[in-house]
């Protein structure tokens, strides 16, 4: 299964998620950001590639819909509701990610 994690700048939240879930259950994991200055900016290629898209905040859902409307129509987009309050690999962020993502896919302990 191909998982895409999206936040604003792809520096802290989505990058942490990519690192945490890489290698779990044979998941193929990538991350990207919605902002112009994102480390890796989300593209239609990312959207087309992904089986499941996790975004950190509702604004990311809106941004993806605005930019990739029809490409998103067959995709499952899940908002994790994680605010931009964490640094890369913050221990609390890792626990929140595991907890919220595990509601949708199998996550090893």
């Amino acid at each position: 299964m191909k998982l895409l994690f999206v936040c604003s700048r792809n520096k802290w939240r989505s990058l942490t998620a990519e690192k945490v879930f890489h290698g779990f259950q044979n998941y193929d994991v990538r991350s990207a950001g919605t902002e112009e200055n994102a480390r890796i900016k989300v593209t239609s290629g990312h959207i087309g590639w992904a089986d499941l898209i996790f975004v950190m905040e509702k604004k990311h859902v809106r941004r993806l819909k605005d930019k990739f409307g029809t490409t998103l129509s067959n995709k499952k987009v899940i908002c994790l509701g994680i605010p931009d309050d964490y640094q890369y690999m913050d221990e609390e962020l890792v626990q929140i990610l595991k907890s919220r993502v595990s509601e949708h896919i199998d996550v090893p302990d």
Side-chain angles (χ1 to χ4, degrees):
M1 181 181 281
K2 298 173 189 160
L3 310 178
L4 176 64
F5 289 92
V6 177
C7 68
S8 296
R9 290 182 310 278
N10 186 226
K11 291 183 179 161
W12 295 338
R13 294 172 290 174
S14 62
L15 192 58
T16 297
E18 180 178 8
K19 174 92 171 159
V20 167
F21 294 103
H22 178 76
F24 276 9
Q25 305 276 16
N26 298 321
Y27 293 134
D28 195 354
V29 184
R30 295 182 185 168
S31 65
T34 58
E35 300 281 329
E36 284 297 320
N37 64 346
R39 190 183 68 85
I40 295 174
K41 192 168 179 205
V42 67
T43 66
S44 59
H46 289 109
I47 303 298
W49 169 86
D51 295 316
L52 200 51
I53 301 168
F54 291 98
V55 299
M56 299 300 153
E57 299 176 71
K58 287 181 182 174
K59 69 180 178 185
H60 301 127
V61 176
R62 284 193 306 273
R63 289 175 186 166
L64 291 180
K65 284 182 178 173
D66 288 348
K67 187 160 185 175
F68 306 107
T70 55
T71 313
L72 271 179
S73 57
N74 299 346
K75 299 293 177 171
K76 185 167 183 181
V77 179
I78 298 165
C79 182
L80 298 173
I82 300 174
D84 194 5
D85 296 339
Y86 304 95
Q87 300 286 318
Y88 177 67
M89 293 306 289
D90 181 298
E91 203 171 291
E92 185 179 353
L93 173 59
V94 170
Q95 292 309 312
I96 292 168
L97 282 165
K98 285 181 178 178
S99 171
R100 297 201 181 156
V101 170
S102 71
E103 296 172 16
H104 306 281
I105 61 171
D106 289 333
V107 175
D109 289 333

